[in-house]
Amino acid sequence: MTQRVELAAVRDRLAVDGLITDYAVAVDDGDWEGYRALFAPRGRADYRSAGGIEGEAGAVAAWLAESLLMFPMRQHLIVNRRVRFGIWEQDTGDTARVQADYVNPMATAGPAPDFVCGGRYAFALLRTDDGWRLSEVVVREKWRRLPDRHTAPVIN
């Protein structure tokens, strides 16, 4: 690999990582316009494993805005990011897939979380004229802990 190719790969990896971070921050801050802007045209999200909906990013953003009103404190922790670049129209590196684990504490009031869930995201990304954008987000919730702290986590 030449230095130019290596530099481009590092820049793409950093851009993809930044997009995943921007996704978490948009959801946590309730920035639904920012959330929509992270998606490519026709981008979709699937929250069904967490009791949500699947659909076009704008519709999902509207559902999230309504559903998350009861949780004014949200803090995604997205870790163990595996990035894989793919091929699109014979050009290497114009698509990417990211698998990442998450823990998401949320609170209805006060700083301590009332609800915590965790699982794995599957992100599909596409390089566009505006940079990297999400073409698909799939949430695979694996567990959740409800307000009663004396019960074991619910395993999905």
Side-chain angles (χ1 to χ4, degrees):
M1 234 187 244
T2 67
Q3 285 183 334
R4 182 172 291 166
V5 171
E6 289 173 355
L7 178 58
V10 169
R11 289 178 66 189
D12 281 337
R13 188 169 292 275
L14 289 171
V16 165
D17 188 68
L19 184 64
I20 302 306
T21 298
D22 290 345
Y23 166 86
V25 171
V27 172
D28 291 345
D29 291 351
D31 179 3
W32 306 118
E33 184 177 325
Y35 176 93
R36 287 181 199 94
L38 299 172
F39 284 83
R42 294 177 304 281
R44 302 185 68 76
D46 183 349
Y47 289 82
R48 290 177 294 182
S49 76
I53 66 168
E54 184 275 333
E56 180 270 328
V60 173
W63 172 81
L64 285 168
E66 182 70 26
S67 299
L68 295 177
L69 280 175
M70 71 174 74
F71 298 108
M73 189 288 292
R74 301 181 291 273
Q75 185 177 28
H76 275 78
L77 306 171
I78 300 180
V79 299
N80 301 335
R81 300 175 193 203
R82 286 183 153 168
V83 179
R84 302 285 186 264
F85 291 98
I87 298 174
W88 182 61
E89 292 184 2
Q90 306 305 314
D91 291 325
T92 302
D94 284 333
T95 63
R97 294 224 174 252
V98 178
Q99 174 182 294
D101 296 327
Y102 71 89
V103 175
N104 183 15
M106 298 184 284
T108 54
D114 298 309
F115 178 90
V116 182
C117 61
R120 181 164 288 159
Y121 279 111
F123 296 98
L125 296 89
L126 178 65
R127 186 193 313 268
T128 71
D129 291 339
D130 296 320
W132 287 99
R133 294 294 182 263
L134 298 166
S135 58
E136 182 181 53
V137 175
V138 177
V139 175
R140 294 185 180 108
E141 185 176 278
K142 293 183 177 184
W143 61 271
R144 65 175 58 176
R145 180 172 295 134
L146 302 174
D148 181 3
R149 309 247 189 252
H150 301 291
T151 61
V154 175
I155 307 296
N156 287 341

